Amino acid sequence: MHRRVRQVLLVSAVAAASGLVGIIQAPAAHAAALSLQSVVPAPVSVQPATGVTYTLPAAATIQTPTGSPAATAVGTHLADLLRPSTGYALPVTTTSGTPTSGIALLLTGADPSVGTEGYQLDVTAALITIRAQTPAGLFHGAQTLRQLLPAAVEARTVQPGPWEVAGGRIVDYPRYGYRGAMLDVSRHFFGVDVVKRYLDEISQYKINTLHLHLSDDQGWRIVIDAWPRLATVGGSTQVGGGAGGYYTKAQYTDLVNYAAARHITIVPEIDMPGHVNAAQASYAELNCNDTAPPLYTGTSVGFSSLCVGKEVTYTFVQQVLTELAALTPGPYLHLGGDEANSTSDADYRTFMNRVQPYVDALGKTVMGWHQVGQADHSPGRIAQYWGTSTSDADLSAAVSKGAKVVMSPANKAYLDMKYTNQTPLGLTWAGLIEVQTAYNWDPATLLPGVPAGAILGVEAPLWSETITKLADIEYMAFPRLPALAELAWSPQSARNWDTFKTRLGAQGPRWTAQNINFYRSPQVPWTTPPATGRIEAESYTAQSGVQIVADANAHGGNRVGYLENGDWIGFSGVNPAGKTGFTARVSSGGNGGTLQIRTGSATGPLLGSVTVANTGGWGNYTDVTTTIGTGSGPLYLVFTGTGSLFDIDSFALTGTAPPATRVEAESYTSQSGVQIVADANAHGGNRVGYLENGDWIGFSGVNPAGKTGFTARVSSGGNGGTLQIRTGSATGPLLGSVTVANTGGWGNYTDVTTTIGTGSGPQYLVFTGTGSLFDIDSFALT
Ligand code: NGO
């Protein structure tokens, strides 16, 4: 039997129905605008203006300075972010004046302290102004504005709003100029789309560098024209033996440009003289014994080395670096240099001292893991610290020769370390890194021997021995990447775990809206979306096959578990009529499964369904979201899947169906054979009844032009029938039709919906069927 053993608290459905566990329905009023203090990374200075709120109007424009295409591009980026959820047009315009409404992005007038990457954000009741000295500053200010809008702004479908921002001023600029993330695309290859998505995700936390680990023993991931087999052979596999892959130069350039549009610089790394098996497997001459080793798909390190004594080694390195530099607008070429365990110390120095000048000659700056400190300095060199202690001889040597330091201490900043022993992905060699561990250190003081002035910034590397897909990347990076982003951006004085964890918790609904698969660390008080209208799963009024499980981390103290294929819960008092979305808080340690949203019964009409994956353990919650179709009646949640499914904590119905002008059926301007029936439960107090086959109602002022859907509120105690939507006359063009079943009695309403074809002219509704048909209360064109 696959059921996991857990502590359970049994509460019968009868007890649930009797009100021991009730439906929690918070007031419908919308939440107040978010505090200016809610932003991650924490801004340098925040002055709230009490009582002032800006509400984004539907007609707002985004104004950018004339003559700066880069600033206008930031305006377009912001518009692209805000349009889908607001549904507003948000045209981006240019101006040389001082705007008085809407959102203004200006390259003048910012507080001088903002420097080259900072911004000043002013929110008044009339407008939002972001001022900066550079487009990069405007971009970072736009990311702050995003976080000041309600979390629903991150949804990609129209949300209700209102889009309010609290009044006040933020003046903000980074602590460090290097704020990085690293992705190992060598151990497992990630295609262009995955990397772009990661760029989108990290750019919202003001990360300005993405380091790509492009080569290692398991894979070479970039085309080099002078050495084509690097990609075609060296890129042909990955850890575990999968297909691997590589970037063409055009794809790589696309990534560089996509990053640049987000004010992110790509730092390419070709790791040498170790971590080179993929190159050596591609070309026999790169081996001292002139024999190519087989491709490698394991996860050991330190076994390969370029042949330091051979001239071809240097031809190879120089040609590779030359082609790489040509693809790299950014200042750095990363030479790796870590774990050269198969290269003697003397050879290591010989090799590095010979190849570093190639980088200098290409007009680039050397970056390397901190072991490069063993070799001579090269101008501007950056040593990336990845150790786990508070002092390191190689790093100190690098610094004393003049290197600057990027901090990636593996026991704090490595995103590939597990959070806890239960984390399904990741490694543990540098320790377990829960969110607080990732957050609670100061890059300036971690290494007492390194002066604060030598620290250039912070980078969060994600090695991919165990990471195979986007969802894995997201799970390891969120929430630790935003934590490390705050170390890199915010002044130490603005940083505090207790305020951070609350701000971080408020990011959860944003990640849910963005479909980011994140780890719901129990250290963080997650804000669970939406703030209102949450219904506890254990408040069901009918069920089949489930049990209530006590869980201190669950909303309301319980979750519903022991679900198996076909089990369900029903809610007599919960009706999805008028709602468009569904969000549930779920967890799974098993196979996950599918959650179906139905009405009427566990086999009633299906309004939507959502897939639940393994969330890393039962009680380890995540939110899943789906849109739902029109329907009404008691809500049923049905669980399907194989093996051990998932648990459900709580859920909410979201969105508001377009309020589309509802037309009362009794407002017809012509009719045949019908009568108006007074009914206190009908919209407008009346319904149209006494319909028989061929009866109709017509509306001279109602025109379906430009509409694509039709919804009617109907009831039937008889045979039901069909409702036809026509134009011009009762025998005019048929735009659509919808079947109505017996609804359990006349006056017992349900909504029926259909799509309609293109047509225009006065609308006619025609009733067909046999026996006693149905009544119609009202309808809407959507
Ligand atoms: C080390 C090693 C990498 C591994 C990683 C795994 C560095 C700089 N070299 O970090 O090859 O992938 O650990 O955590």
Side-chain angles (χ1 to χ4, degrees):
M1 184 55 183
H2 64 265
R3 296 308 306 194
R4 65 276 186 196
V5 178
R6 296 180 299 180
Q7 290 286 317
V8 296
L9 168 70
L10 289 174
V11 178
S12 73
V14 176
S18 72
L20 285 179
V21 275
I23 294 176
I24 297 171
Q25 287 282 12
H30 66 266
L34 290 160
S35 153
L36 295 189
Q37 268 108 350
S38 63
V39 176
V40 175
V44 172
S45 119
V46 173
Q47 293 167 250
T50 316
V52 176
T53 303
Y54 175 79
T55 305
L56 187 70
T61 58
I62 297 180
Q63 297 152 86
T64 63
T66 338
S68 175
T72 302
V74 175
T76 304
H77 173 87
L78 181 61
D80 287 344
L81 290 170
L82 304 184
R83 280 174 188 146
S85 52
T86 61
Y88 300 165
L90 299 174
V92 180
T93 61
T94 55
T95 174
S96 46
T98 307
T100 54
S101 66
I103 299 175
L105 307 181
L106 303 177
L107 290 171
T108 50
D111 187 289
S113 67
V114 303
T116 54
E117 286 196 284
Y119 63 92
Q120 173 179 324
L121 173 79
D122 285 285
V123 182
T124 68
L127 84 162
I128 292 178
T129 314
I130 302 174
R131 297 174 181 275
Q133 301 185 347
T134 62
L138 293 178
F139 183 86
H140 297 135
Q143 302 312 313
T144 293
L145 172 57
R146 226 174 135 174
Q147 288 189 28
L148 295 175
L149 284 158
V153 81
E154 299 296 341
R156 298 297 83 185
T157 52
V158 176
Q159 304 293 309
W163 305 106
E164 295 182 341
V165 182
R169 168 172 293 182
I170 291 177
V171 177
D172 196 16
Y173 49 85
R175 180 181 188 186
Y176 292 116
Y178 189 111
R179 303 181 303 281
M182 187 207 85
L183 194 56
D184 172 7
V185 296
S186 181
R187 270 53 176 271
H188 282 98
F189 181 66
F190 302 103
V192 169
D193 288 348
V194 172
V195 180
K196 284 183 173 176
R197 163 106 176 158
Y198 197 47
L199 285 162
D200 283 336
E201 293 173 353
I202 65 180
S203 68
Q204 55 187 323
Y205 297 100
K206 304 183 174 79
I207 294 290
N208 68 355
T209 309
L210 180 66
H211 166 184
L212 289 177
H213 184 75
L214 289 170
S215 70
D216 211 304
D217 292 316
Q218 297 85 347
W220 185 286
R221 306 302 181 196
I222 177 84
V223 165
I224 299 294
D225 295 329
W227 299 77
R229 287 154 52 82
L230 291 172
T232 57
V233 176
S236 66
T237 191
Q238 59 185 0
V239 167
Y246 57 85
Y247 307 119
T248 65
K249 288 189 172 180
Q251 287 173 329
Y252 188 80
T253 298
D254 183 30
L255 280 181
V256 167
N257 293 339
Y258 192 88
R262 284 147 189 77
H263 295 273
I264 293 177
T265 302
I266 302 272
V267 174
E269 176 186 351
I270 298 295
D271 205 345
M272 57 186 90
H275 291 279
V276 290
N277 188 77
Q280 292 184 309
S282 308
Y283 288 99
E285 61 264 47
L286 297 178
N287 299 274
C288 283
N289 64 0
D290 286 320
T291 306
L295 290 163
Y296 180 67
T297 59
T299 59
S300 296
V301 297
F303 60 87
S304 60
S305 177
L306 288 172
C307 190
V308 173
K310 270 183 152 186
E311 258 329 280
V312 66
T313 297
Y314 300 96
T315 310
F316 166 76
V317 171
Q318 188 163 34
Q319 289 178 336
V320 166
L321 293 177
T322 301
E323 292 192 31
L324 200 61
L327 293 170
T328 304
Y332 307 120
L333 296 187
H334 200 303
L335 299 180
D338 58 317
E339 293 174 322
N341 304 345
S342 300
T343 318
S344 72
D345 289 355
D347 276 359
Y348 183 88
R349 281 191 295 277
T350 302
F351 175 83
M352 279 296 175
N353 288 345
R354 188 150 170 204
V355 303
Q356 288 183 142
Y358 300 157
V359 176
D360 308 336
L362 289 163
K364 300 294 178 188
T365 300
V366 170
M367 190 161 172
W369 299 106
H370 68 262
Q371 283 77 13
V372 295
Q374 293 167 31
D376 292 349
H377 188 56
S378 87
R381 183 170 71 176
I382 295 173
Q384 182 170 8
Y385 181 62
W386 64 280
T388 56
S389 68
T390 53
S391 70
D392 183 278
D394 291 340
L395 182 70
S396 296
V399 172
S400 66
K401 293 173 195 170
K404 293 278 192 251
V405 177
V406 165
M407 293 293 287
S408 302
N411 54 350
K412 313 262 181 214
Y414 266 31
L415 299 180
D416 57 313
M417 292 302 124
K418 288 178 187 285
Y419 294 95
T420 72
N421 278 320
Q422 281 72 50
T423 307
L425 305 164
L427 308 176
T428 54
W429 71 263
L432 299 170
I433 307 182
E434 248 294 1
V435 185
Q436 189 171 5
T437 306
Y439 183 79
N440 258 350
W441 58 286
D442 180 356
T445 59
L446 186 75
L447 303 172
V450 175
I455 308 291
L456 194 66
V458 178
E459 182 181 292
L462 178 50
W463 301 94
S464 63
E465 286 93 335
T466 66
I467 307 299
T468 63
K469 56 186 185 297
L470 174 66
D472 297 352
I473 294 174
E474 293 176 342
Y475 189 78
M476 300 309 269
F478 288 84
R480 290 182 294 197
L481 185 278
L484 291 156
E486 180 153 311
L487 266 79
W489 178 279
S490 306
Q492 186 64 18
S493 59
R495 296 186 47 231
N496 169 302
W497 167 252
D498 287 325
T499 64
F500 175 70
K501 70 181 184 196
T502 304
R503 285 182 288 117
L504 191 63
Q507 302 295 306
R510 290 173 195 280
W511 301 339
T512 298
Q514 292 176 36
N515 267 318
I516 292 180
N517 176 38
F518 65 100
Y519 165 61
R520 289 190 158 263
S521 167
Q523 297 183 331
V524 178
W526 297 105
T527 308
T528 308
T532 57
R534 180 156 289 276
I535 298 160
E536 296 302 333
E538 65 270 22
S539 70
Y540 54 72
T541 52
Q543 62 97 7
S544 159
V546 309
Q547 291 181 27
I548 295 181
V549 181
D551 175 0
N553 289 326
H555 264 266
N558 293 297
R559 64 180 189 251
V560 170
Y562 289 84
L563 315 178
E564 291 181 350
N565 189 37
D567 289 352
W568 52 264
I569 49 181
F571 300 81
S572 60
V574 179
N575 190 332
K579 298 298 184 178
T580 56
F582 173 89
T583 301
R585 188 166 185 253
V586 294
S587 70
S588 176
N591 296 349
T594 300
L595 176 55
Q596 299 180 337
I597 302 109
R598 295 182 179 269
T599 54
S601 75
T603 53
L606 180 68
L607 304 195
S609 68
V610 59
T611 304
V612 178
N614 184 310
T615 63
W618 281 285
N620 209 348
Y621 293 101
T622 193
D623 289 313
V624 292
T625 295
T626 183
T627 53
I628 55 171
T630 312
S632 74
L635 184 81
Y636 281 77
L637 301 178
V638 185
F639 310 98
T640 65
T642 53
S644 43
L645 303 184
F646 54 96
D647 289 1
I648 175 162
D649 168 25
S650 53
F651 64 93
L653 295 160
T654 60
T656 313
T661 18
R662 180 161 284 278
V663 182
E664 295 302 333
E666 65 271 22
S667 70
Y668 54 71
T669 51
S670 58
Q671 62 97 6
S672 161
V674 310
Q675 290 182 29
I676 296 180
V677 181
D679 175 359
N681 290 324
H683 264 269
N686 294 297
R687 65 180 192 252
V688 170
Y690 291 85
L691 316 178
E692 290 180 353
N693 189 37
D695 288 352
W696 54 265
I697 49 180
F699 300 82
S700 62
V702 177
N703 190 332
K707 300 296 183 175
T708 56
F710 173 89
T711 301
R713 190 164 183 256
V714 293
S715 69
S716 175
N719 296 349
T722 300
L723 177 55
Q724 300 179 338
I725 301 107
R726 296 181 180 269
T727 54
S729 75
T731 53
L734 180 68
L735 304 193
S737 67
V738 59
T739 305
V740 178
N742 184 309
T743 63
W746 280 286
N748 207 351
Y749 293 103
T750 193
D751 288 314
V752 292
T753 295
T754 182
T755 54
I756 56 171
T758 313
S760 73
Q763 178 162 321
Y764 283 76
L765 299 178
V766 185
F767 310 98
T768 65
T770 53
S772 45
L773 302 185
F774 55 95
D775 289 1
I776 175 163
D777 167 26
S778 55
F779 64 92
L781 294 159
T782 58

